[in-house]
Amino acid sequence: MNEEDEIITKIPIRLSNRLSLQIHQFPLLSRPLQAPPSAEASGKRITARIKPQSRVLEIHVPVDTRPEVYNTERGHELGKGQLDDDREQNQERKGKGREGEEPRLAEVRLRSEEIPQRGVQMLGIVHENELHLHPISAIHQFRPTLTYLDIISRKNRRRGGDDSDSDSDDGPPPDPDEPAPTAAPPKKEKKTAAGEAKEVQVSARRIDDKAGNLSQLSNARKEMLAIIRAEQEESWQNLEFCGMTTEEAGHSLDQFFSYNNEELHCSTDVTTFLTTAPKT
Amino acid sequence: MSDNASGSVSKPKAISSLAKRPSEVTRQGTQKIKFVPTLPARRNKDVVKSEPTLDIIPAPSSDRGRGRGRGRGEGSGRGRGGPRPPAEMVASGPFALGPAMAGTSSSRRFAQAATPIATPSRTEASSLGAGLSQTAAPKIKQESKKEEQDEESYSDPDEGVEIIDMENVRQMDWMAPDSLRKEKEKRLKKEDPDASDRGARIMDAPDEEDDEADGRELETMFDGDFGITNHDADNVSQHLYLFQFPSPFPTFSKKGSDNVQEETPLTQASKKVTFAPDVKVETEVQPSSRGPSAPAETKEELDGLVGHLEVYRSGARKIRLGNGIVLDVSPASQPSFLEHAVHLDMQENKLAILGEIFRHYLVAPDVDALLAAMDALDSGPQTVLAGEENLIRMDVT
């Protein structure tokens, strides 16, 4: 580096770690995450819920249901599928009110997946000519979940049977490690796919894999199954979603900044970057 | 080698030149469409009443007068759709942020939606394009203000035909798709005077065309972030940056106590200055105790000054923390998707969005400083024993 390189500005850096900050990533390229104006006009807002132990979040974004851009009949079909799916997973929203109305698919559900952090991520905001840093505790990636399609295709498969309906193509063969949500459909599938029975022998025992035959599954798979089950059994906790312009968000932002003027003492050295073994 | 028979083309056909004739090209350098395909008249849907259909016909004809050469009159570059929404000037596009920002408490200027809720009016015409709100969904990451384009001037629309500029299809509705951005040749021509927060040099990388941000010299582009060019300080001051530090992050503790504490920290600890001279030393204003320490966890609540971010004339940025830690800051690869910084408050069951991440930076130890420190570490503590000069140092590494 050039010795004559002079410093133009020096901005003090402050550190604080009061909040539990997360980064949420969305598959949105140029739009912000918000409800469409037509949905907002009818009172729908973005909602969120969390399963704290499994560290899974869901964000529900209302969908634009104007007839110009929304297919109402399909919306009803999918809405019904979603309702059934919710009931199955015991996450049905209670007390939505109007009983007579057909359920509609009126929101996009974004489900999160935590991704491991590389290094230490810090959020920085320049405020009053000072850079305030705050560590990030978790990074979550959000993707839309379409689990209601599974239920609908399952129903179609049951009804359709052999004649292949356009909706009921079997897709990939049943994963031997996936726990069967209901025992009835897999049985039928195996009867029709008798020729493949030998290959997928493990799946034939799927019905009683909880009781016995655990030796058939390796430990890693057992763990994975356990994690999946734990996640399914945990119940959702509702969260209040506060957008960027709300009071609560402003309040959180105020808490983000560091206010103490004292200097913190650093007890490690540059060399710790090299000498300390990296965590995982 | 044959000459073109038609009189309109004046160029010899032999050299199929890609240069555009002036009459074919608009000021932006794009291809002007000469031929407007006659689209079939939009079939009215069943639900449509007959009266609105009559409205379509007069509306385009009234547009005819102002149809051509509207140029910059529209300002927000709204595509010309068929029937206009009634006279309200709906703020759309990147300039839509104005009115909504007055309502926010802080001076944040995130690209939150400011589009007013446009109720789809069924009194509008019945064509397929009817009922669209004629406002765009807000865009994020608009680093440069979109330059005002000339409206493409097309030939007069026939009755029942709706001319939509594909560039501006975004503005037609909330749910309208994004059109891909134009080629670079357009960008070279524009002066880009509003890139004031960027360096003066604008260099196009030939392989990156989509994102304007990537197409430029990285260092100069990020200059505005940390105060090299100080204008628009208001805008810059509330950007969220994501820094990726190497792990482990240096441990900090309150002054006067090196170890992580379990009980409330001492209030009047001695204040040893252990910083290198260039770190700003401030007199204590508040006592160092700051709220309850984290119970049962080693996480200590930290709040205070830790160092400085130095910005050099060459554009390099360094972070200087205590204990001689010097880190280089460089721009990291920027994600193209949306990222929110979020505060999850489990006590109150609240998920508060602090904002959208503006830019990513990568922080790495300054290699010279690191190597020097490693050398110092290797040579070990220099304890001088009596008569050491007669002893030979044994290498234990």
Side-chain angles (χ1 to χ4, degrees):
Chain A
M1 204 187 64
N2 220 353
E3 288 349 321
E4 293 93 30
D5 206 1
E6 44 169 314
I7 298 182
I8 300 182
T9 359
K10 251 167 81 161
I11 304 174
I13 300 179
R14 289 163 159 244
L15 183 67
S16 68
N17 60 358
R18 224 171 283 130
L19 307 176
S20 143
L21 279 194
Q22 293 183 348
I23 299 280
H24 288 178
Q25 301 179 334
F26 296 95
L28 290 168
L29 203 52
S30 55
R31 304 186 189 215
L33 183 75
Q34 59 185 175
S38 62
E40 280 199 12
S42 57
K44 299 199 187 71
R45 302 274 177 267
I46 302 182
T47 52
R49 51 189 193 174
I50 184 174
K51 284 187 179 173
Q53 298 307 318
S54 326
R55 290 193 301 273
V56 173
L57 285 113
E58 258 193 23
I59 293 187
H60 300 180
V61 182
V63 138
D64 199 341
T65 51
R66 287 175 294 155
E68 295 87 22
V69 294
Y70 182 85
N71 183 349
T72 322
E73 327 159 350
R74 191 88 176 114
H76 283 311
E77 281 175 36
L78 298 176
K80 191 153 182 322
Q82 191 171 66
L83 195 59
D84 291 339
D85 184 54
D86 280 350
R87 280 206 193 106
E88 215 172 83
Q89 302 196 21
N90 296 327
Q91 56 188 9
E92 183 183 350
R93 291 274 181 85
K94 302 172 182 70
K96 279 300 271 189
R98 307 175 279 174
E99 290 295 329
E101 181 165 303
E102 281 265 328
R104 273 199 322 179
L105 187 69
E107 59 189 11
V108 175
R109 291 196 181 171
L110 298 168
R111 194 182 175 93
S112 86
E113 196 178 302
E114 187 169 0
I115 57 178
Q117 279 191 48
R118 297 283 201 88
V120 173
Q121 311 270 6
M122 293 249 164
L123 186 69
I125 304 185
V126 177
H127 178 69
E128 287 167 9
N129 222 22
E130 288 180 332
L131 177 66
H132 294 245
L133 291 179
H134 195 295
I136 303 278
S137 26
I139 301 186
H140 285 263
Q141 281 188 347
F142 282 82
R143 296 179 178 84
T145 42
L146 310 174
T147 47
Y148 49 84
L149 294 178
D150 294 339
I151 290 230
I152 293 175
S153 80
R154 230 190 292 152
K155 280 196 206 150
N156 287 340
R157 231 180 292 155
R158 252 184 262 160
R159 254 186 273 120
D162 286 4
D163 43 308
S164 43
D165 204 355
S166 64
D167 281 346
S168 70
D169 51 328
D170 281 74
D175 190 343
D177 299 330
E178 241 179 48
T182 52
K187 269 193 189 150
K188 290 201 181 148
E189 285 168 21
K190 270 166 228 108
K191 284 199 181 120
T192 55
E196 305 173 29
K198 295 232 169 60
E199 297 175 44
V200 289
Q201 210 164 20
V202 183
S203 66
R205 295 199 196 104
R206 223 202 296 180
I207 292 132
D208 55 347
D209 73 342
K210 307 295 182 293
N213 291 330
L214 286 179
S215 55
Q216 296 294 328
L217 303 171
S218 65
N219 278 338
R221 286 186 185 160
K222 270 189 261 174
E223 274 175 45
M224 273 169 27
L225 283 179
I227 292 176
I228 293 176
R229 277 196 68 83
E231 188 195 317
Q232 281 181 348
E233 286 172 356
E234 193 182 351
S235 60
W236 289 105
Q237 283 184 28
N238 283 331
L239 291 177
E240 187 193 332
F241 185 93
C242 312
M244 281 190 296
T245 51
T246 55
E247 285 276 339
E248 292 87 352
H251 179 61
S252 293
L253 193 61
D254 292 332
Q255 285 190 308
F256 168 96
F257 295 119
S258 139
Y259 295 107
N260 200 353
N261 276 332
E262 77 171 290
E263 286 174 44
L264 297 179
H265 171 66
C266 181
S267 43
T268 52
D269 202 3
V270 190
T271 54
T272 51
F273 293 131
L274 286 183
T275 52
T276 315
K279 310 175 223 184
T280 64
Chain B
M1 274 302 178
S2 57
D3 261 337
N4 201 340
S6 84
S8 59
V9 179
S10 54
K11 282 208 189 120
K13 238 185 173 181
I15 308 165
S16 59
S17 159
L18 298 174
K20 301 186 169 73
R21 292 186 304 137
S23 65
E24 282 182 342
V25 167
T26 63
R27 262 176 271 165
Q28 297 298 336
T30 57
Q31 189 70 20
K32 201 200 269 195
I33 303 174
K34 290 188 293 194
F35 168 69
V36 177
T38 50
L39 305 169
R42 301 222 179 238
R43 314 206 186 292
N44 302 325
K45 285 184 170 174
D46 304 337
V47 285
V48 163
K49 297 114 192 140
S50 53
E51 302 90 76
T53 49
L54 297 177
D55 287 348
I56 310 179
I57 320 279
S61 56
S62 69
D63 277 351
R64 230 173 263 201
R66 357 167 229 156
R68 203 138 1 127
R70 233 179 302 145
R72 297 168 186 233
E74 281 305 319
S76 56
R78 191 186 314 174
R80 59 187 76 183
R84 312 248 118 200
E88 32 144 348
M89 284 307 283
V90 174
S92 64
F95 300 102
L97 306 178
M101 287 302 115
T104 58
S105 48
S106 62
S107 59
R108 270 172 289 158
R109 199 178 310 165
F110 304 108
Q112 181 69 356
T115 51
I117 298 166
T119 50
S121 46
R122 290 311 272 159
T123 59
E124 294 286 339
S126 59
S127 66
L128 274 170
L132 300 181
S133 59
Q134 295 292 341
T135 61
K139 285 179 97 88
I140 55 173
K141 298 198 178 172
Q142 289 280 318
E143 295 182 7
S144 67
K145 302 185 177 53
K146 207 157 55 166
E147 71 282 4
E148 297 185 344
Q149 309 178 19
D150 285 334
E151 291 283 338
E152 305 274 345
S153 48
Y154 298 106
S155 47
D156 298 337
D158 299 331
E159 295 184 351
V161 170
E162 187 176 322
I163 294 201
I164 298 171
D165 187 357
M166 286 306 284
E167 286 280 290
N168 296 331
V169 94
R170 190 74 198 79
Q171 264 92 24
M172 287 187 64
D173 188 60
W174 175 274
M175 296 287 286
D178 288 329
S179 19
L180 294 177
R181 270 179 261 193
K182 277 280 195 168
E183 298 286 319
K184 275 186 332 229
E185 52 206 7
K186 195 172 148 200
R187 226 187 291 143
L188 282 170
K189 298 207 173 124
K190 82 172 189 234
E191 285 302 327
D192 201 357
D194 10 46
S196 54
D197 55 337
R198 278 181 229 145
R201 296 171 273 150
I202 297 176
M203 285 157 50
D204 271 315
D207 43 338
E208 296 162 302
E209 1 180 276
D210 345 307
D211 197 16
E212 292 179 354
D214 288 347
R216 307 214 159 96
E217 181 85 41
L218 282 178
E219 291 296 324
T220 58
M221 177 193 127
F222 296 105
D223 278 349
D225 279 353
F226 298 119
I228 282 192
T229 53
N230 251 327
H231 30 139
D232 210 5
D234 186 50
N235 194 10
V236 171
S237 72
Q238 296 295 348
H239 283 162
L240 271 65
Y241 303 106
L242 195 69
F243 291 91
Q244 181 166 323
F245 280 82
S247 81
F249 192 73
T251 9
F252 287 95
S253 47
K254 296 200 203 324
K255 244 203 223 171
S257 52
D258 274 4
N259 310 318
V260 176
Q261 303 163 350
E262 261 78 88
E263 62 278 340
T264 52
L266 311 165
T267 55
Q268 299 299 332
S270 58
K271 305 182 175 41
K272 304 187 194 57
V273 179
T274 52
F275 292 93
D278 58 344
V279 173
K280 197 163 68 171
V281 177
E282 269 195 343
T283 54
E284 299 267 344
V285 176
Q286 304 163 13
S288 54
S289 71
R290 185 145 175 95
S293 313
E297 279 183 348
T298 52
K299 177 188 163 196
E300 180 188 334
E301 186 162 314
L302 301 170
D303 189 346
L305 283 165
V306 293
H308 285 265
L309 174 72
E310 298 166 356
V311 182
Y312 290 82
R313 183 166 294 282
S314 61
R317 277 164 296 243
K318 291 193 189 298
I319 286 184
R320 206 174 286 267
L321 303 175
N323 257 354
I325 300 180
V326 185
L327 307 162
D328 275 335
V329 180
S330 51
S333 56
Q334 308 297 328
S336 49
F337 45 83
L338 170 66
E339 282 184 314
H340 274 174
V342 153
H343 172 217
L344 178 65
D345 191 347
M346 286 311 290
Q347 272 84 33
E348 300 182 28
N349 276 346
K350 216 172 58 165
L351 190 74
I353 312 290
L354 298 179
E356 295 164 7
I357 307 281
F358 181 65
R359 226 170 241 147
H360 282 236
Y361 283 99
L362 186 63
V363 179
D366 179 76
V367 181
D368 297 329
L370 180 61
L371 291 177
M374 286 301 283
D375 279 343
L377 187 69
D378 284 342
S379 37
Q382 309 280 348
T383 55
V384 180
L385 306 169
E388 187 187 329
E389 51 271 14
N390 295 329
L391 305 174
I392 304 169
R393 179 167 278 275
M394 185 172 79
D395 190 7
V396 295
T397 52

